[in-house]
Amino acid sequence: NFMPSWSLSNEMIYYGAWPLLLSMVGWRASRALTLGGASALIVCLLIGYIWSVLHRLETSTAVNGLWSVSVLFPLWLSGVWLVENWARISPHVTRRLWHLSFLLCLGAELLLTWMKYHQRSQAMIDFTGLAALPGLILLLAGARHARLGSRAWLQPWIRWFGQFSYPCYILQMPLLVLQLRLVIPYLPEAATSHPLARAAWLLLPTFLLLALIGPWLERRIMAWRSRFLSSFIPKQS
């Protein structure tokens, strides 16, 4: 069986929270970022006080979910911040800083591995996600140092993977679950008895299906999104 795809639930909450924050501050992205970050910090401090000082609600599913959403919100907001400040930040990320970002990301992964190995609480594991923030920002902001844009033959592949990545993220879990329920039980036992064979029956069809429909869906959804948003922009006479 597969664990619940909690990260998708969090992300849907962030997509709903962001326009709400914007509407509260006059559609100013910088103010919405400040309000969102401050709100997440206050919620985390409050939950930390309840858990650590009052020793209450440690097993509450609702409070644990609220903690997860709040403590990881800065990671999502950092992407918005990077988009809003790209022209100002990106030129200052030198090649040395970009190389440092790989070490910072590796350090965050090692910290996460250590936390899981020592069976720390899920709250602490969620909190370590913030350790990845500096490395991720530097890695993305300095991506020009990879010089992928200067290789013409790579452009179609970069565009395809860009269109493939998000549908893969969104659809891989539902497709895996559907195959687990509707395909695997009807295959011969010899074909699924070995763990590697079972994994192949799950992963290969999922990847092929996503490769066929993912970019196609992404292009059409983004085209619809563009038309939908443009309907709110007043036409110039």
Side-chain angles (χ1 to χ4, degrees):
N1 294 332
F2 301 103
M3 295 178 63
S5 190
W6 60 268
S7 62
L8 291 179
S9 301
N10 282 15
E11 189 158 351
M12 293 305 295
I13 293 173
Y14 301 151
Y15 278 123
W18 179 242
L20 179 61
L21 290 170
L22 284 171
S23 66
M24 293 171 63
V25 294
W27 303 95
R28 296 283 298 275
S30 59
R31 293 181 181 178
L33 284 166
T34 302
L35 178 60
S39 300
L41 176 61
I42 291 171
V43 172
C44 288
L45 290 174
L46 179 60
I47 294 176
Y49 176 78
I50 293 173
W51 283 346
S52 302
V53 179
L54 301 181
H55 300 288
R56 302 285 300 275
L57 304 175
E58 291 96 336
T59 59
S60 170
T61 301
V63 175
N64 274 277
L66 183 59
W67 166 268
S68 173
V69 169
S70 301
V71 77
L72 296 177
F73 196 24
L75 284 169
W76 194 90
L77 289 174
S78 68
V80 179
W81 177 83
L82 191 57
V83 170
E84 292 294 323
N85 296 276
W86 183 268
R88 184 167 59 89
I89 300 299
S90 182
H92 296 288
V93 180
T94 63
R95 181 175 291 274
R96 181 174 295 180
L97 283 175
W98 188 59
H99 288 160
L100 176 63
S101 71
F102 290 90
L103 294 177
L104 293 174
C105 289
L106 177 61
E109 286 295 326
L110 292 175
L111 177 61
L112 177 62
T113 302
W114 184 87
M115 286 282 187
K116 289 188 173 183
Y117 179 78
H118 289 279
Q119 298 181 340
R120 301 301 185 189
S121 67
Q122 188 60 46
M124 288 301 299
I125 291 175
D126 289 340
F127 189 77
T128 59
L130 298 179
L133 196 52
L136 287 174
I137 290 177
L138 290 175
L139 179 66
L140 293 172
R144 71 184 187 282
H145 295 297
R147 297 183 178 179
L148 297 177
S150 62
R151 297 172 173 83
W153 65 273
L154 275 178
Q155 295 307 304
W157 288 100
I158 294 172
R159 187 160 43 251
W160 186 88
F161 277 109
Q163 297 167 353
F164 171 76
S165 60
Y166 205 70
C168 182
Y169 172 58
I170 294 293
L171 297 177
Q172 48 91 13
M173 184 62 69
L175 289 175
L176 285 171
V177 171
L178 285 173
Q179 289 187 84
L180 183 68
R181 303 300 186 196
L182 302 179
V183 177
I184 296 296
Y186 299 98
L187 293 175
E189 185 177 352
T192 60
S193 59
H194 194 280
L196 290 179
R198 186 181 181 88
W201 278 109
L202 285 170
L203 296 177
L204 290 179
T206 299
F207 176 80
L208 291 175
L209 185 59
L210 285 170
L212 287 173
I213 68 173
W216 180 83
L217 282 173
E218 180 76 355
R219 288 192 296 270
R220 277 149 184 79
I221 291 173
M222 293 304 292
W224 169 84
R225 176 179 177 271
S226 178
R227 292 193 300 270
F228 177 76
L229 293 177
S230 64
S231 66
F232 293 93
I233 301 176
K235 296 182 179 180
Q236 297 180 353
S237 58

